Amino acid sequence: MKSVLFDDQAIANYAKEKKVQPFKVKQIFYEMYKNQNIDFDDMTTISKEMRAELAESFVPISLEVDKIKEDKQTTKIWFKTHDGHLIETVIIYHRQPTKHVKNNTPKINRITLCISSQVGCPVNCLFCVTGKLGFSRNLTRDEIISQVLYANNYIKKKFGKKDDNTLHAVRNVVFMGMGEPLLNYDNMRHAIQVMLQQDRFSLSKRHITISTAGIIPGIKKMVTDMIDVKLAISLHAPNQDLREKIMPIARTYKLNDLMRSIDEYVKATKNRIFYEYIMIKDVTDKPELAKQLCQLLRGRLAHVNLIPYNTNPAIKLGESDMETIREFQRILEKFGITTTVRDSMGRSVKSACGQLWFEKVKWKNEENEDEDD
Ligand code: SF4
């Protein structure tokens, strides 16, 4: 199997064997990370002969595109892995507020990439479609990085250069796609190192978010390894009983222990924690739960993101109405907790939170119904 072109070790071995000068090796990385190219033909700062030689031993990325679907706010990409699995990545475009828009074409303010860390997910949260498909395997470091390289190339082709003559590119990476990143800790950590490296993606720590269902050993490792990127906790319930009902992982990692490990993380990094809280009709959206959440987060460095649940046919749960969500928010804010109600961007391409794998689950259900008939 060919190595990926961004594999430092494979390139170093190749350079040694073929006696390639160090500046030419730098050009390869420059083409991929700064010029955002993933086709050998586009890497024109490298000679034609060298590109042909490289193509014999390397592939630019380790994923193949299976399908792309998009609307104005998002592009959803299905990638196929070398062993035939499908994973998803979503590019989210944050545009200028419409009041500043000229010629009806709102400019892109920033671009966020939602990436997957596993094929499927073993955590199986009640409200999540991905969890219904079970778990196949962890993604490799290269498969995680390939998602970002592909997205940057896609964005370059779609939008070209900004007014300041630099290329549009991914600014934020969130580990909120398929999978639980802290159950794929080493590959996630190595991929983050590449994201932060100056001569690679050169992203800021503040622009990378790890979202976890509360894997305590992973949070502790982050403290030891000083991975002080943004941490988002998928809390979704303010007490142990309810959390166990909607997130089975809470039976292993109890809420009190989880909060203690988060406190250690905050003490070590001084970072504010983002608590994700899904609003499910008559399950998580009651005012008394908002009050319990206030007590849980009392004195803690916290921001709460309220996420309107998106219905889908695979799961029998309902959406909270906006008035209920606003009331929940009012209770938190009255208590002094900053709160954002998340946009459900990407509904039309089924890429909003909890809707990844919508099509596959729908298809599976239809298959089961056929068998029942
Ligand atoms: S919400 Fe996240 S952790 Fe829970 S099942 Fe879905 S992908 Fe896994």
Side-chain angles (χ1 to χ4, degrees), residues 333-349:
E333 293 199 324
K334 211 169 148 199
F335 197 77
I337 298 171
T338 58
T339 307
T340 308
V341 177
R342 276 259 203 88
D343 248 6
S344 270
M345 278 194 177
R347 273 182 180 231
S348 67
V349 288

mmCIF file of all heavy atoms in Angstrom, residues 333-349:
data_model
loop_
_atom_site.group_PDB
_atom_site.id
_atom_site.type_symbol
_atom_site.label_atom_id
_atom_site.label_comp_id
_atom_site.label_asym_id
_atom_site.label_seq_id
_atom_site.Cartn_x
_atom_site.Cartn_y
_atom_site.Cartn_z
ATOM 1 N N GLU A 333 -29.300 31.985 32.507
ATOM 2 C CA GLU A 333 -28.683 33.315 32.443
ATOM 3 C C GLU A 333 -28.980 34.127 33.696
ATOM 4 O O GLU A 333 -28.135 34.894 34.150
ATOM 5 C CB GLU A 333 -29.099 34.024 31.162
ATOM 6 C CG GLU A 333 -28.489 33.284 29.976
ATOM 7 C CD GLU A 333 -28.420 34.075 28.696
ATOM 8 O OE1 GLU A 333 -29.355 34.857 28.460
ATOM 9 O OE2 GLU A 333 -27.451 33.873 27.929
ATOM 10 N N LYS A 334 -30.171 33.948 34.243
ATOM 11 C CA LYS A 334 -30.521 34.629 35.494
ATOM 12 C C LYS A 334 -29.558 34.219 36.610
ATOM 13 O O LYS A 334 -29.214 34.992 37.497
ATOM 14 C CB LYS A 334 -31.963 34.266 35.882
ATOM 15 C CG LYS A 334 -32.668 35.370 36.619
ATOM 16 C CD LYS A 334 -34.141 35.081 36.728
ATOM 17 C CE LYS A 334 -34.630 35.673 38.045
ATOM 18 N NZ LYS A 334 -35.883 35.082 38.460
ATOM 19 N N PHE A 335 -29.103 33.008 36.523
ATOM 20 C CA PHE A 335 -28.174 32.464 37.515
ATOM 21 C C PHE A 335 -26.729 32.888 37.195
ATOM 22 O O PHE A 335 -25.803 32.597 37.946
ATOM 23 C CB PHE A 335 -28.285 30.932 37.506
ATOM 24 C CG PHE A 335 -27.703 30.265 38.708
ATOM 25 C CD1 PHE A 335 -28.386 30.252 39.913
ATOM 26 C CD2 PHE A 335 -26.450 29.661 38.642
ATOM 27 C CE1 PHE A 335 -27.831 29.633 41.028
ATOM 28 C CE2 PHE A 335 -25.895 29.037 39.747
ATOM 29 C CZ PHE A 335 -26.584 29.027 40.946
ATOM 30 N N GLY A 336 -26.507 33.546 36.067
ATOM 31 C CA GLY A 336 -25.166 34.036 35.704
ATOM 32 C C GLY A 336 -24.383 33.098 34.805
ATOM 33 O O GLY A 336 -23.168 33.266 34.639
ATOM 34 N N ILE A 337 -25.067 32.111 34.217
ATOM 35 C CA ILE A 337 -24.342 31.182 33.325
ATOM 36 C C ILE A 337 -24.551 31.623 31.874
ATOM 37 O O ILE A 337 -25.695 31.696 31.406
ATOM 38 C CB ILE A 337 -24.854 29.730 33.510
ATOM 39 C CG1 ILE A 337 -24.590 29.276 34.949
ATOM 40 C CG2 ILE A 337 -24.179 28.786 32.518
ATOM 41 C CD1 ILE A 337 -25.248 27.962 35.305
ATOM 42 N N THR A 338 -23.456 31.917 31.174
ATOM 43 C CA THR A 338 -23.611 32.333 29.775
ATOM 44 C C THR A 338 -24.089 31.134 28.952
ATOM 45 O O THR A 338 -23.636 30.009 29.139
ATOM 46 C CB THR A 338 -22.288 32.873 29.182
ATOM 47 O OG1 THR A 338 -21.307 31.857 29.305
ATOM 48 C CG2 THR A 338 -21.834 34.136 29.872
ATOM 49 N N THR A 339 -25.015 31.419 28.065
ATOM 50 C CA THR A 339 -25.689 30.329 27.347
ATOM 51 C C THR A 339 -25.930 30.730 25.897
ATOM 52 O O THR A 339 -26.315 31.862 25.620
ATOM 53 C CB THR A 339 -27.068 30.047 28.001
ATOM 54 O OG1 THR A 339 -26.871 29.844 29.398
ATOM 55 C CG2 THR A 339 -27.732 28.828 27.413
ATOM 56 N N THR A 340 -25.699 29.795 24.995
ATOM 57 C CA THR A 340 -26.002 30.035 23.588
ATOM 58 C C THR A 340 -26.981 28.978 23.119
ATOM 59 O O THR A 340 -26.831 27.806 23.474
ATOM 60 C CB THR A 340 -24.708 29.893 22.730
ATOM 61 O OG1 THR A 340 -23.708 30.722 23.297
ATOM 62 C CG2 THR A 340 -24.930 30.277 21.279
ATOM 63 N N VAL A 341 -27.966 29.412 22.341
ATOM 64 C CA VAL A 341 -28.833 28.418 21.705
ATOM 65 C C VAL A 341 -28.228 28.172 20.336
ATOM 66 O O VAL A 341 -28.094 29.086 19.524
ATOM 67 C CB VAL A 341 -30.285 28.916 21.576
ATOM 68 C CG1 VAL A 341 -31.133 27.877 20.838
ATOM 69 C CG2 VAL A 341 -30.868 29.205 22.952
ATOM 70 N N ARG A 342 -27.808 26.944 20.112
ATOM 71 C CA ARG A 342 -27.115 26.611 18.861
ATOM 72 C C ARG A 342 -28.038 26.621 17.666
ATOM 73 O O ARG A 342 -29.168 26.139 17.748
ATOM 74 C CB ARG A 342 -26.526 25.198 18.951
ATOM 75 C CG ARG A 342 -25.201 25.154 19.624
ATOM 76 C CD ARG A 342 -24.095 25.052 18.582
ATOM 77 N NE ARG A 342 -22.938 24.483 19.238
ATOM 78 C CZ ARG A 342 -22.732 23.196 19.326
ATOM 79 N NH1 ARG A 342 -23.561 22.340 18.773
ATOM 80 N NH2 ARG A 342 -21.681 22.750 19.943
ATOM 81 N N ASP A 343 -27.486 27.127 16.582
ATOM 82 C CA ASP A 343 -28.150 27.046 15.282
ATOM 83 C C ASP A 343 -28.153 25.606 14.829
ATOM 84 O O ASP A 343 -27.156 24.938 14.990
ATOM 85 C CB ASP A 343 -27.239 27.768 14.273
ATOM 86 C CG ASP A 343 -27.825 29.027 13.761
ATOM 87 O OD1 ASP A 343 -28.879 29.400 14.263
ATOM 88 O OD2 ASP A 343 -27.187 29.626 12.881
ATOM 89 N N SER A 344 -29.260 25.144 14.277
ATOM 90 C CA SER A 344 -29.212 23.782 13.721
ATOM 91 C C SER A 344 -28.811 23.867 12.261
ATOM 92 O O SER A 344 -29.563 23.528 11.372
ATOM 93 C CB SER A 344 -30.552 23.099 13.858
ATOM 94 O OG SER A 344 -30.583 22.421 15.082
ATOM 95 N N MET A 345 -27.584 24.353 12.031
ATOM 96 C CA MET A 345 -27.120 24.470 10.648
ATOM 97 C C MET A 345 -27.076 23.103 9.991
ATOM 98 O O MET A 345 -26.715 22.128 10.609
ATOM 99 C CB MET A 345 -25.699 25.011 10.649
ATOM 100 C CG MET A 345 -25.624 26.481 10.775
ATOM 101 S SD MET A 345 -23.962 26.940 10.357
ATOM 102 C CE MET A 345 -24.043 28.674 10.456
ATOM 103 N N GLY A 346 -27.407 23.052 8.740
ATOM 104 C CA GLY A 346 -27.214 21.808 8.014
ATOM 105 C C GLY A 346 -28.394 20.868 8.021
ATOM 106 O O GLY A 346 -28.266 19.725 7.621
ATOM 107 N N ARG A 347 -29.534 21.351 8.490
ATOM 108 C CA ARG A 347 -30.687 20.445 8.504
ATOM 109 C C ARG A 347 -30.977 19.865 7.130
ATOM 110 O O ARG A 347 -31.301 18.709 6.995
ATOM 111 C CB ARG A 347 -31.927 21.181 8.980
ATOM 112 C CG ARG A 347 -32.026 21.146 10.465
ATOM 113 C CD ARG A 347 -33.279 21.840 10.919
ATOM 114 N NE ARG A 347 -33.303 21.754 12.357
ATOM 115 C CZ ARG A 347 -34.333 21.322 13.046
ATOM 116 N NH1 ARG A 347 -35.425 20.976 12.453
ATOM 117 N NH2 ARG A 347 -34.271 21.248 14.337
ATOM 118 N N SER A 348 -30.870 20.729 6.109
ATOM 119 C CA SER A 348 -31.288 20.246 4.792
ATOM 120 C C SER A 348 -30.351 19.173 4.239
ATOM 121 O O SER A 348 -30.730 18.419 3.373
ATOM 122 C CB SER A 348 -31.403 21.396 3.802
ATOM 123 O OG SER A 348 -30.138 21.928 3.558
ATOM 124 N N VAL A 349 -29.112 19.113 4.714
ATOM 125 C CA VAL A 349 -28.251 18.015 4.253
ATOM 126 C C VAL A 349 -28.069 16.994 5.370
ATOM 127 O O VAL A 349 -27.196 16.162 5.340
ATOM 128 C CB VAL A 349 -26.877 18.510 3.744
ATOM 129 C CG1 VAL A 349 -27.004 19.203 2.434
ATOM 130 C CG2 VAL A 349 -26.170 19.351 4.763
#
